[in-house]
Amino acid sequence: MEPRQPEEHPACANPTERKSHHSEKVKTNLTSRLNRIEGQVRGIKKMIENDTYCDDVLNQISAVQSALNSVGKILLEGHLRSCVTERLQEGDTEVIEELLTTVKKLMK
């Protein structure tokens, strides 16, 4: 099996016009996950308003954090496979510093 080659996406290479270029399948997946997370956050708010036991609220917060981490991993993988790869192939090594800064933020 040959390694997957990134598709051409000029938007990645142009810093003034950088945009993501996710497939419709990925967008649908991410949107669905984010909708669930949004619902979970609303649920946490109601739990607090209803004086739900703290441990139960904390467990729900943990679930939301985990779900957000999953969304971040999907986005990071796509970013590495497309934008970062393309920019490196074009000789743009600034993308490494940009990526390191982003990864540090994700790992907080």
Side-chain angles (χ1 to χ4, degrees):
M1 186 170 167
E2 291 184 34
R4 191 176 131 215
Q5 294 297 318
E7 298 173 27
E8 290 292 319
H9 296 290
C12 280
N14 186 347
T16 60
E17 273 192 50
R18 285 192 192 144
K19 292 185 178 184
S20 65
H21 41 269
H22 307 292
S23 70
E24 286 305 313
K25 181 179 178 181
V26 170
K27 284 183 190 180
T28 300
N29 179 15
L30 292 172
T31 300
S32 176
R33 288 171 180 266
L34 290 169
N35 286 337
R36 279 194 303 274
I37 292 166
E38 186 177 25
Q40 286 176 296
V41 171
R42 282 193 304 269
I44 291 169
K45 183 179 175 188
K46 284 183 183 179
M47 291 173 82
I48 291 171
E49 290 169 350
N50 294 331
D51 297 321
T52 302
Y53 185 61
C54 297
D55 191 58
D56 295 335
V57 177
L58 291 167
N59 283 320
Q60 286 302 308
I61 290 170
S62 176
V64 168
Q65 288 171 327
S66 178
L68 278 172
N69 285 340
S70 292
V71 169
K73 287 174 190 175
I74 292 168
L75 287 168
L76 181 59
E77 180 180 346
H79 185 54
L80 286 168
R81 291 185 186 274
S82 59
C83 295
V84 173
T85 299
E86 291 168 17
R87 288 177 61 189
L88 285 173
Q89 288 172 344
E90 293 166 0
D92 180 0
T93 57
E94 281 183 29
V95 71
I96 295 170
E97 286 304 316
E98 177 185 281
L99 180 62
L100 289 172
T101 299
T102 299
V103 169
K104 286 176 187 175
K105 289 177 185 177
L106 283 171
M107 294 178 74
K108 280 186 178 181

